[in-house]
Amino acid sequence: MFSHVLLKVSSDRLWSFSSTASVAARSYSHGKQETDEEFDARWVTYFNKPDIDAWELRKGMNTLIGYDLVPEPKILEAALRACRRLNDLASAIRILEAVKDKSGPHKEIYPYVLQELRPTLSELGIPTPEELGIDKA
Amino acid sequence: MLASRALVRGLQSGFWRRVSTSSAAWAAHTHDVDVIDCSVPQYNNRLDTPLPDVPFVRNLSAEQKKLKEKEKGSWTQLTKEEKLALYRLTHELSYAEMRQGSKEWMTVLGGIFIFLGFTGLLVWWQRVYVYGDVPHTLSEESVAQQTQRMIDMRVNPVHGFSHKWDYEKKQWK
C-alpha cells in the first residue's frame, strides 16, 4: 500500500521533489519498480514542459546529476531544448560538462552522448566545451 | 568580553569574510566578496550542482546586456568568443578548472619539514646545554661489570641472555 502512494505521487505532474526524488533510487521488496524507460520518459516529460521556468530547469538538472547514473541522450536533448526556450546558452554548455564529469572513468560515454546529440547541438548552435576550450583548465 | 569583541573585529578586518545581513549586505551585490549575504541564494562552484542558484556576474555592463539580448536570438549567430563570454558570465569556473589541483601540498610539506628541522635544532641544543651528565653506571667499565654479573647469575638461561653465553669456552656463542 505504501508503494501505491509513491507511484501515485510520481504520476502527478506537480510532484513535490522530496518524495519523487527517491522513487527512482528506492528499491523495495514489493511493489512495482520503475523501469528505465519509465524513468527516462518521466524526465523527458519534465524538461519538455513548454513553459518551464529557470528554477525548474536548475532543480531538474541538479537533481538528475545527483542520481547514480548518466542521463540518456533523449533526456539531455529535452533539457537542452529547455535551455533554448529559456535563452540560456551557458546552462546548455554546463549540462554537457556535467555529463562528461558524471561519466567518471567510463570515457566512452561522453563521445557517445555527443554523437547522439550532434543533430540537436548543430540545430541550436550549442558549442561543446571542447570547441570553446574550457575542457582543459 | 570587550577584549574578545575587539579580537573578532580585528580578525574580521584582517582575515575573515564578514557575514552580514545589514547595510553592508548591499556590497555583496557589487561583487565585494569580503561580505557574504547569507540570506539570499549564493553562487557556488560545485561538481554536483551544474546549474548554480544565481549567475556569477549579477551586475551586467551595457556591453554584457547587449550580449544577453543577442542570446535571445539564434545561437548560431553568436561567435565563439561571445558564447565563451556568455558561459563566463554565468559560471566562474569550468568543470576542468574546478577539478584541477594546486601545488599547495608542496608548500605544506615544506613547511612541516622546516618546523620539524627547527624543532630538531632546539632538541639538540637542549641535549647539550640543559641535560646534566649521564649516570656512571652507563660507563663502559660499569656495563662490563654488570654483564659479567648477569652471566654469573644465569639470567634467562633457556632462551635469552645466558643461553647465548658459552660457559665452557667463556665466550659468546
Side-chain angles (χ1 to χ4, degrees):
Chain A
M1 197 188 73
F2 180 60
S3 60
H4 275 293
V5 172
L6 283 173
L7 283 172
K8 185 174 189 307
V9 170
S10 73
S11 64
D12 186 13
R13 262 303 181 90
L14 297 169
W15 53 62
S16 71
F17 268 83
S18 53
S19 47
T20 53
S22 51
V23 169
R26 185 172 301 181
S27 51
Y28 17 84
S29 54
H30 61 282
K32 257 177 60 182
Q33 278 271 48
E34 187 182 50
T35 66
D36 288 349
E37 292 74 24
E38 284 168 352
F39 176 83
D40 293 344
R42 192 158 58 81
W43 276 102
V44 167
T45 316
Y46 177 81
F47 284 118
N48 277 342
K49 189 163 101 122
D51 55 345
I52 192 172
D53 69 33
W55 184 93
E56 285 172 352
L57 171 67
R58 288 198 304 271
K59 176 65 183 175
M61 217 45 237
N62 292 337
T63 309
L64 192 58
I65 291 297
Y67 293 151
D68 184 18
L69 49 85
V70 179
E72 279 280 324
K74 55 174 162 335
I75 304 177
L76 297 168
E77 189 196 331
L80 293 176
R81 290 193 185 279
C83 289
R84 174 65 269 190
R85 290 199 293 285
L86 290 163
N87 300 320
D88 192 351
L89 176 61
S91 293
I93 304 167
R94 192 68 155 185
I95 289 171
L96 294 176
E97 272 192 295
V99 166
K100 181 173 182 192
D101 192 71
K102 198 70 193 162
S103 326
H106 304 278
K107 301 270 187 257
E108 68 283 358
I109 297 180
Y110 181 61
Y112 164 73
V113 166
L114 281 188
Q115 177 198 309
E116 294 292 310
L117 288 177
R118 185 45 63 191
T120 311
L121 296 178
S122 313
E123 180 198 329
L124 298 177
I126 301 172
T128 65
E130 289 72 29
E131 285 165 21
L132 290 179
I134 51 177
D135 59 321
K136 305 267 179 283
Chain B
M1 218 263 297
L2 281 172
S4 61
R5 273 180 126 205
L7 174 66
V8 167
R9 274 259 173 269
L11 284 169
Q12 267 186 348
S13 59
F15 305 111
W16 291 351
R17 296 170 137 203
R18 277 170 293 143
V19 177
S20 162
T21 56
S22 66
S23 59
W26 74 266
H29 290 293
T30 60
H31 231 22
D32 173 25
V33 286
D34 269 341
V35 184
I36 311 170
D37 183 359
C38 286
S39 63
V40 296
Q42 298 288 322
Y43 175 79
N44 59 274
N45 292 307
R46 289 181 63 102
L47 295 168
D48 61 9
T49 311
L51 306 178
D53 297 330
V54 294
F56 180 55
V57 179
R58 302 287 294 281
N59 310 313
L60 302 173
S61 70
E63 206 181 292
Q64 289 165 335
K65 282 189 186 136
K66 272 211 319 234
L67 186 56
K68 277 289 187 188
E69 282 303 310
K70 201 171 172 195
E71 195 185 11
K72 294 182 183 166
S74 171
W75 292 338
T76 49
Q77 306 294 320
L78 297 166
T79 68
K80 207 187 269 195
E81 289 75 26
E82 287 174 333
K83 290 179 183 175
L84 189 56
L86 281 168
Y87 180 86
R88 289 291 179 192
L89 278 180
T90 324
H91 302 289
E92 182 190 11
L93 299 175
S94 69
Y95 266 70
E97 284 160 2
M98 277 194 264
R99 279 220 176 259
Q100 74 178 161
S102 69
K103 294 214 166 77
E104 193 190 359
W105 67 273
M106 294 184 198
T107 312
V108 170
L109 214 53
I112 290 172
F113 288 143
I114 286 170
F115 280 106
L116 280 176
F118 179 66
T119 308
L121 286 173
L122 285 180
V123 170
W124 188 10
W125 177 89
Q126 186 185 45
R127 169 66 186 83
V128 169
Y129 288 102
V130 175
Y131 289 173
D133 280 334
V134 127
H136 72 93
T137 46
L138 288 169
S139 67
E140 258 202 59
E141 194 194 313
S142 185
V143 168
Q145 287 173 340
Q146 178 184 292
T147 315
Q148 183 58 57
R149 188 179 149 86
M150 281 167 77
I151 289 167
D152 294 340
M153 275 199 291
R154 308 282 201 274
V155 167
N156 293 337
V158 181
H159 288 300
F161 192 81
S162 302
H163 167 71
K164 297 189 183 127
W165 177 260
D166 191 338
Y167 282 93
E168 274 87 51
K169 298 197 196 124
K170 302 243 193 299
Q171 66 188 26
W172 291 109
K173 287 187 188 164

